[in-house]
Amino acid sequence: MPQKFQNFINGKWVDAKSGRTFENRNPANWDEVVGIFPKSGKEDVDEAVKAARAAFEKWRLMPAPKRGDIMRKVGDLLVAHKEELAREMTREMGKVLLETRGDVQEGIDTAYYASSEGRRLFGHTVPSELPNKFAMAIRVPIGVAGIITPWNFPMAIPTWKIFPAILSGNTVVFKPATDTPKTATTLIEILMEAGIPEGVVNIVHGGGSEVGNAITSHPDVDLISFTGSTLVGKQISKSSSDTLKRVSLELGGKNAQIVMDDADLDLALDGVLWGAFGTTGQRCTATSRLILHEKIYDKFMTMLVDRTKKLRLGDGLLQSTDVGPCVNESQRKTVASYVEIGQQEGATLVAGGADANGDGLSKGWFYQPTIFSDVKPTMRIAKEEIFGPVLSVIRAKDVEESIRILNDTIYGLSSSIYTRDVNKAFVAIRDIKAGITYVNVPTIGAEAHLPFGGVKQTGNGHREGGWTVYDFFTEWKAVYVDYSGKLQRAQIDNY
Ligand code: UN1
């Protein structure tokens, strides 16, 4: 019998009130059920919000350095459980062990960063325009945060949101993706073991239309932090607008890597293979377009196709595997439908282009790493986010045209240029419209202590990561203390 899991509300493990459940299966072997989870609804979210609201009144008063001490314990526990968490994650969402270890490491980095932020959370002191008067601006917690996360980074993304939220003194109602509820459950267990008081973090499992909607439209939720598709992000923006919540949206990407004719081509090749086919292309930072200088186009394509055909698909738990499966059936269907679109649009299929059904692959959602050449910037495969192992290659004549092509998208998350010419690199840094630009580095691999997020329809202007995420999870309060003993009227008595 597969193991049964529960929601965690107000410090207790509980079933969904309706008693309904859903199954979570291994994408590399769909016969294997990872666990049975509660299919919750609005009534469960109501309970969780009530608990988070009540817990907020105490939690906000705990000194931030003390909250930081708990975060350090969380980091230590994540270190201790890193391998077990990585294996669990590979089993529920498919990416290779090397990458799931990295995913847990991102959570560890975020925990230790949050721990040290407990002793910073810097405010400002500024001079007042009046004598004997003190002026400062301090950060205060906001309240209950609704955290809604995707399946592609089941540990890193929840920790990017939950850790700064609680370090800042907020409490949390967390809805993880239905494809990765197990990793999320273990994260909650770790938070509890580290000493997070009951009610501070609550988890409610279930789908977006029921649980997600109930959170984003809830009158007693103050903040929403969401990572996922641009389509859902727009819906959340609408459903949260009646109560004027503060909302952070990290959405789609159509990231490109540029390779100039002066680049180290072997380095650029390693970069694009990792950026396009790492995580089976299922990252919002994935390299989905490759823009090649016309002088090296043919040579680079030969190198790229050759190496791509050698990538080994398989169960991510096996050391021999380079690329794991797509996360589920619908994701693989989306990939297949874009491959059809690419062919209809007249792009040339030079690698992959079909489900993979070899040895050990017949019960998983495997799709061959796929490359289209002769892609025009106007084609749908050059414009729309695919979220799978499909790379569209476009030709350009110089750095200016490459940047123009790179910018010709509604998204603006990550970007990359390979060149040995420092002048071209700085032109790219200046002119690329994206939240992240890499030079001689692929489009994936952001570090936890730098701002993470994008421009245009990739988001709504907020940043996760580093010090910047604390701007989202705290409110500024301006404080004036007059010690003159008399009424001093600003803008009047001093002029
Ligand atoms: C995502 O795909 O949503 O920069 C996050 C990266 C990872 C995070 C990706 N550190 O690729």
Side-chain angles (χ1 to χ4, degrees), residues 289-325:
R289 296 177 294 157
L290 175 66
I291 302 168
L292 293 179
H293 192 286
E294 59 189 9
K295 280 199 195 136
I296 49 104
Y297 190 97
D298 293 336
K299 179 173 179 204
F300 198 83
M301 282 311 293
T302 310
M303 292 162 68
L304 175 62
V305 169
D306 177 53
R307 281 278 296 279
T308 301
K309 289 189 170 157
K310 290 188 181 129
L311 291 173
R312 294 158 304 179
L313 274 96
D315 185 333
L317 288 173
L318 303 173
Q319 221 176 347
S320 54
T321 301
D322 297 313
V323 181

Side-chain angles (χ1 to χ4, degrees), residues 19 77 79 99 107 138 156 162 194 206 213:
L77 285 166
V79 170
E99 293 189 41
I138 58 171
I162 294 173
N213 246 330

